[in-house]
Short mmCIF file of all heavy atoms in Angstrom, two decimals:
data_model
loop_
_atom_site.label_atom_id
_atom_site.label_comp_id
_atom_site.label_asym_id
_atom_site.label_seq_id
_atom_site.Cartn_x
_atom_site.Cartn_y
_atom_site.Cartn_z
N TRP A 1 -10.89 -0.74 8.33
CA TRP A 1 -12.29 -0.34 8.17
C TRP A 1 -12.79 -0.56 6.75
O TRP A 1 -13.84 -1.16 6.53
CB TRP A 1 -12.46 1.13 8.56
CG TRP A 1 -12.31 1.39 10.02
CD1 TRP A 1 -11.16 1.36 10.75
CD2 TRP A 1 -13.35 1.74 10.94
NE1 TRP A 1 -11.40 1.65 12.06
CE2 TRP A 1 -12.74 1.90 12.22
CE3 TRP A 1 -14.72 1.94 10.81
CZ2 TRP A 1 -13.47 2.24 13.34
CZ3 TRP A 1 -15.45 2.30 11.94
CH2 TRP A 1 -14.82 2.44 13.19
N LEU A 2 -12.04 -0.06 5.79
CA LEU A 2 -12.46 -0.14 4.39
C LEU A 2 -11.89 -1.36 3.68
O LEU A 2 -12.41 -1.78 2.66
CB LEU A 2 -12.05 1.13 3.65
CG LEU A 2 -12.73 2.41 4.12
CD1 LEU A 2 -12.16 3.62 3.38
CD2 LEU A 2 -14.23 2.34 3.93
N GLN A 3 -10.80 -1.89 4.21
CA GLN A 3 -10.13 -3.04 3.60
C GLN A 3 -9.92 -2.84 2.11
O GLN A 3 -10.29 -3.66 1.27
CB GLN A 3 -10.92 -4.33 3.88
CG GLN A 3 -10.98 -4.66 5.37
CD GLN A 3 -11.63 -6.00 5.65
OE1 GLN A 3 -12.75 -6.24 5.23
NE2 GLN A 3 -10.91 -6.87 6.36
N VAL A 4 -9.27 -1.73 1.81
CA VAL A 4 -8.95 -1.39 0.42
C VAL A 4 -7.90 -2.36 -0.10
O VAL A 4 -6.81 -2.47 0.48
CB VAL A 4 -8.44 0.06 0.33
CG1 VAL A 4 -8.08 0.43 -1.10
CG2 VAL A 4 -9.48 1.02 0.89
N PRO A 5 -8.16 -3.08 -1.20
CA PRO A 5 -7.22 -4.10 -1.67
C PRO A 5 -5.81 -3.59 -1.97
O PRO A 5 -4.83 -4.28 -1.67
CB PRO A 5 -7.90 -4.64 -2.94
CG PRO A 5 -9.35 -4.43 -2.69
CD PRO A 5 -9.43 -3.12 -1.95
N TYR A 6 -5.71 -2.38 -2.55
CA TYR A 6 -4.39 -1.85 -2.89
C TYR A 6 -4.25 -0.42 -2.37
O TYR A 6 -5.06 0.45 -2.69
CB TYR A 6 -4.17 -1.87 -4.41
CG TYR A 6 -4.02 -3.26 -4.98
CD1 TYR A 6 -5.12 -3.92 -5.52
CD2 TYR A 6 -2.79 -3.92 -4.96
CE1 TYR A 6 -4.99 -5.20 -6.04
CE2 TYR A 6 -2.66 -5.20 -5.48
CZ TYR A 6 -3.76 -5.83 -6.01
OH TYR A 6 -3.64 -7.09 -6.52
N TYR A 7 -3.20 -0.23 -1.58
CA TYR A 7 -2.89 1.10 -1.05
C TYR A 7 -1.50 1.46 -1.56
O TYR A 7 -0.54 0.71 -1.38
CB TYR A 7 -2.94 1.09 0.47
CG TYR A 7 -2.48 2.38 1.11
CD1 TYR A 7 -2.93 3.61 0.65
CD2 TYR A 7 -1.58 2.38 2.18
CE1 TYR A 7 -2.52 4.79 1.24
CE2 TYR A 7 -1.17 3.55 2.78
CZ TYR A 7 -1.64 4.76 2.30
OH TYR A 7 -1.22 5.93 2.87
N ILE A 8 -1.40 2.61 -2.21
CA ILE A 8 -0.15 3.02 -2.86
C ILE A 8 0.27 4.39 -2.35
O ILE A 8 -0.56 5.30 -2.21
CB ILE A 8 -0.33 3.06 -4.39
CG1 ILE A 8 -0.60 1.64 -4.90
CG2 ILE A 8 0.90 3.66 -5.08
CD1 ILE A 8 -1.09 1.59 -6.31
N VAL A 9 1.55 4.52 -2.04
CA VAL A 9 2.10 5.82 -1.66
C VAL A 9 3.19 6.18 -2.66
O VAL A 9 4.02 5.36 -3.01
CB VAL A 9 2.66 5.80 -0.22
CG1 VAL A 9 1.55 5.63 0.80
CG2 VAL A 9 3.70 4.71 -0.03
N TYR A 10 3.13 7.41 -3.14
CA TYR A 10 4.07 7.86 -4.15
C TYR A 10 4.88 9.04 -3.63
O TYR A 10 4.31 10.04 -3.19
CB TYR A 10 3.33 8.25 -5.43
CG TYR A 10 4.22 8.81 -6.53
CD1 TYR A 10 5.48 8.26 -6.78
CD2 TYR A 10 3.80 9.87 -7.32
CE1 TYR A 10 6.29 8.76 -7.79
CE2 TYR A 10 4.60 10.38 -8.34
CZ TYR A 10 5.85 9.82 -8.56
OH TYR A 10 6.65 10.32 -9.56
N ASP A 11 6.19 8.90 -3.68
CA ASP A 11 7.10 9.96 -3.27
C ASP A 11 7.56 10.68 -4.53
O ASP A 11 8.43 10.19 -5.25
CB ASP A 11 8.29 9.37 -2.52
CG ASP A 11 9.17 10.45 -1.90
OD1 ASP A 11 9.16 11.59 -2.40
OD2 ASP A 11 9.88 10.14 -0.92
N GLY A 12 6.95 11.82 -4.81
CA GLY A 12 7.27 12.56 -6.02
C GLY A 12 8.65 13.19 -6.01
O GLY A 12 9.18 13.54 -7.07
N GLU A 13 9.24 13.33 -4.83
CA GLU A 13 10.59 13.90 -4.75
C GLU A 13 11.64 12.84 -5.00
O GLU A 13 12.66 13.08 -5.64
CB GLU A 13 10.80 14.57 -3.39
CG GLU A 13 9.92 15.79 -3.16
CD GLU A 13 10.24 16.48 -1.86
OE1 GLU A 13 11.16 16.00 -1.13
OE2 GLU A 13 9.60 17.50 -1.56
N GLN A 14 11.40 11.62 -4.49
CA GLN A 14 12.35 10.52 -4.69
C GLN A 14 12.03 9.71 -5.95
O GLN A 14 12.77 8.79 -6.32
CB GLN A 14 12.33 9.59 -3.47
CG GLN A 14 12.75 10.26 -2.17
CD GLN A 14 14.18 10.77 -2.22
OE1 GLN A 14 15.06 10.12 -2.77
NE2 GLN A 14 14.41 11.95 -1.63
N ASP A 15 10.91 10.02 -6.57
CA ASP A 15 10.51 9.35 -7.82
C ASP A 15 10.38 7.84 -7.66
O ASP A 15 10.93 7.06 -8.44
CB ASP A 15 11.49 9.67 -8.96
CG ASP A 15 11.46 11.15 -9.35
OD1 ASP A 15 10.39 11.75 -9.20
OD2 ASP A 15 12.50 11.66 -9.78
N ASN A 16 9.64 7.43 -6.66
CA ASN A 16 9.35 6.01 -6.51
C ASN A 16 8.02 5.86 -5.77
O ASN A 16 7.57 6.76 -5.07
CB ASN A 16 10.46 5.28 -5.75
CG ASN A 16 10.57 5.73 -4.31
OD1 ASN A 16 9.76 5.36 -3.45
ND2 ASN A 16 11.58 6.55 -4.01
N PHE A 17 7.38 4.71 -5.98
CA PHE A 17 6.14 4.45 -5.27
C PHE A 17 6.18 3.07 -4.64
O PHE A 17 6.87 2.17 -5.11
CB PHE A 17 4.91 4.63 -6.17
CG PHE A 17 4.76 3.62 -7.28
CD1 PHE A 17 3.94 2.52 -7.13
CD2 PHE A 17 5.43 3.78 -8.48
CE1 PHE A 17 3.77 1.59 -8.15
CE2 PHE A 17 5.27 2.87 -9.51
CZ PHE A 17 4.44 1.77 -9.34
N ARG A 18 5.44 2.94 -3.54
CA ARG A 18 5.37 1.68 -2.81
C ARG A 18 3.93 1.18 -2.84
O ARG A 18 2.99 1.96 -2.79
CB ARG A 18 5.84 1.88 -1.37
CG ARG A 18 7.30 2.33 -1.27
CD ARG A 18 7.66 2.77 0.13
NE ARG A 18 7.60 1.66 1.07
CZ ARG A 18 7.82 1.78 2.39
NH1 ARG A 18 8.07 2.99 2.89
NH2 ARG A 18 7.76 0.73 3.18
N VAL A 19 3.81 -0.14 -2.90
CA VAL A 19 2.49 -0.76 -3.03
C VAL A 19 2.25 -1.69 -1.86
O VAL A 19 3.09 -2.54 -1.54
CB VAL A 19 2.38 -1.55 -4.35
CG1 VAL A 19 1.00 -2.20 -4.47
CG2 VAL A 19 2.66 -0.65 -5.54
N PHE A 20 1.09 -1.55 -1.24
CA PHE A 20 0.69 -2.43 -0.14
C PHE A 20 -0.60 -3.15 -0.55
O PHE A 20 -1.58 -2.51 -0.90
CB PHE A 20 0.48 -1.62 1.14
CG PHE A 20 1.71 -0.88 1.59
CD1 PHE A 20 1.95 0.42 1.15
CD2 PHE A 20 2.64 -1.50 2.41
CE1 PHE A 20 3.09 1.10 1.55
CE2 PHE A 20 3.79 -0.82 2.82
CZ PHE A 20 4.01 0.49 2.38
N GLU A 21 -0.55 -4.47 -0.50
CA GLU A 21 -1.70 -5.29 -0.88
C GLU A 21 -2.31 -5.91 0.38
O GLU A 21 -1.59 -6.35 1.28
CB GLU A 21 -1.29 -6.39 -1.85
CG GLU A 21 -2.46 -7.24 -2.32
CD GLU A 21 -2.04 -8.33 -3.29
OE1 GLU A 21 -0.82 -8.61 -3.38
OE2 GLU A 21 -2.92 -8.92 -3.95
N LEU A 22 -3.63 -5.94 0.42
CA LEU A 22 -4.32 -6.50 1.58
C LEU A 22 -4.27 -8.03 1.53
O LEU A 22 -4.79 -8.64 0.59
CB LEU A 22 -5.77 -6.01 1.60
CG LEU A 22 -6.52 -6.21 2.91
CD1 LEU A 22 -5.96 -5.29 4.00
CD2 LEU A 22 -8.02 -5.93 2.72
N GLU A 23 -3.65 -8.62 2.52
CA GLU A 23 -3.57 -10.08 2.64
C GLU A 23 -3.90 -10.46 4.08
O GLU A 23 -3.26 -9.97 5.01
CB GLU A 23 -2.19 -10.60 2.26
CG GLU A 23 -1.84 -10.43 0.79
CD GLU A 23 -0.51 -11.07 0.45
OE1 GLU A 23 0.08 -11.72 1.34
OE2 GLU A 23 -0.05 -10.92 -0.70
N ASN A 24 -4.90 -11.31 4.22
CA ASN A 24 -5.34 -11.72 5.57
C ASN A 24 -5.63 -10.51 6.45
O ASN A 24 -5.24 -10.47 7.63
CB ASN A 24 -4.28 -12.62 6.22
CG ASN A 24 -4.05 -13.89 5.43
OD1 ASN A 24 -4.99 -14.49 4.92
ND2 ASN A 24 -2.78 -14.30 5.32
N ASN A 25 -6.31 -9.52 5.85
CA ASN A 25 -6.75 -8.31 6.57
C ASN A 25 -5.61 -7.43 7.05
O ASN A 25 -5.81 -6.60 7.94
CB ASN A 25 -7.66 -8.68 7.74
CG ASN A 25 -8.91 -9.40 7.30
OD1 ASN A 25 -9.47 -9.11 6.25
ND2 ASN A 25 -9.35 -10.37 8.09
N ARG A 26 -4.43 -7.60 6.48
CA ARG A 26 -3.29 -6.76 6.83
C ARG A 26 -2.55 -6.39 5.56
O ARG A 26 -2.47 -7.17 4.62
CB ARG A 26 -2.33 -7.47 7.80
CG ARG A 26 -2.86 -7.61 9.21
CD ARG A 26 -2.94 -6.25 9.91
NE ARG A 26 -3.40 -6.33 11.28
CZ ARG A 26 -4.66 -6.27 11.66
NH1 ARG A 26 -5.62 -6.14 10.75
NH2 ARG A 26 -4.99 -6.32 12.93
N TYR A 27 -1.99 -5.18 5.54
CA TYR A 27 -1.23 -4.75 4.38
C TYR A 27 0.15 -5.38 4.37
O TYR A 27 0.87 -5.36 5.38
CB TYR A 27 -1.10 -3.23 4.34
CG TYR A 27 -2.31 -2.53 3.78
CD1 TYR A 27 -2.82 -1.38 4.37
CD2 TYR A 27 -2.94 -3.01 2.63
CE1 TYR A 27 -3.93 -0.73 3.84
CE2 TYR A 27 -4.06 -2.38 2.10
CZ TYR A 27 -4.53 -1.24 2.71
OH TYR A 27 -5.64 -0.62 2.19
N GLN A 28 0.51 -5.94 3.22
CA GLN A 28 1.83 -6.48 2.99
C GLN A 28 2.43 -5.74 1.80
O GLN A 28 1.77 -5.60 0.76
CB GLN A 28 1.78 -7.99 2.70
CG GLN A 28 1.14 -8.82 3.78
CD GLN A 28 1.94 -8.82 5.07
OE1 GLN A 28 3.17 -8.73 5.04
NE2 GLN A 28 1.26 -8.91 6.20
N GLU A 29 3.67 -5.28 1.94
CA GLU A 29 4.28 -4.54 0.84
C GLU A 29 4.68 -5.48 -0.29
O GLU A 29 5.27 -6.53 -0.06
CB GLU A 29 5.49 -3.74 1.32
CG GLU A 29 6.08 -2.85 0.23
CD GLU A 29 7.06 -1.82 0.76
OE1 GLU A 29 7.37 -1.85 1.97
OE2 GLU A 29 7.52 -0.99 -0.04
N LEU A 30 4.32 -5.09 -1.50
CA LEU A 30 4.67 -5.86 -2.68
C LEU A 30 6.01 -5.40 -3.23
O LEU A 30 6.34 -4.22 -3.19
CB LEU A 30 3.61 -5.69 -3.78
CG LEU A 30 2.22 -6.30 -3.55
CD1 LEU A 30 1.35 -6.01 -4.76
CD2 LEU A 30 2.32 -7.80 -3.32
#
């Protein structure tokens, strides 16, 4: 719906974050 270019999720307990970039209208993990 919004086609947000970068979607990030951060796990504060595991101390790491994952990045998903919009490519061809679908999120691909970087």
